[in-house]
């Protein structure tokens, strides 16, 4: 099964990259309220079903892919 993990800084956590993007967009004339920069991780896991795949990827996030103190993550699983 394939899974995509979207990792973002939690609200209230300083995001220098997001601030730089936000300022640059404003300089280009775009009216943006806020920009946050995160990352996407695509993984392929051996799993019997979507629930098992989600559980495995969730454990990967907790151990390596995300820092739970400063980042949140979302997992999307597909066949």
């Amino acid at each position: 099964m394939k899974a995509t993990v979207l990792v973002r800084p939690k609200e209230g956590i300083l995001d220098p990259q997001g601030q730089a993007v936000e300022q640059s967009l404003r300089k280009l004339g775009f009216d943006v309220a806020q920009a946050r920069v995160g990352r996407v991780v695509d993984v392929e896991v051996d799993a019997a079903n979507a629930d098992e795949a989600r559980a495995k990827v969730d454990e990967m996030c907790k151990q390596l892919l995300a820092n739970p103190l400063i980042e949140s993550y979302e997992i999307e699983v597909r066949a």
Side-chain angles (χ1 to χ4, degrees):
M1 301 214 121
K2 295 179 182 179
T4 298
V5 180
L6 177 58
V7 182
R8 295 185 185 105
K10 287 184 176 179
E11 286 296 323
I13 297 296
L14 184 62
D15 180 12
Q17 285 182 303
Q19 289 175 338
V21 168
E22 181 181 320
Q23 290 171 0
S24 295
L25 288 170
R26 286 185 180 148
K27 287 178 185 176
L28 291 170
F30 294 100
D31 185 22
V32 295
Q34 183 182 30
R36 310 279 291 165
V37 173
R39 64 188 179 282
V40 174
V41 180
D42 291 317
V43 294
E44 198 165 322
V45 294
D46 266 342
N49 56 51
D51 289 336
E52 183 182 334
R54 182 175 305 282
K56 286 182 176 185
V57 174
D58 186 59
E59 194 58 35
M60 291 175 196
C61 290
K62 290 175 182 173
Q63 290 188 31
L64 177 70
L65 300 179
N67 180 342
L69 295 175
I70 61 169
E71 296 174 317
S72 62
Y73 60 90
E74 297 173 24
I75 301 168
E76 177 189 324
V77 176
R78 58 200 179 287

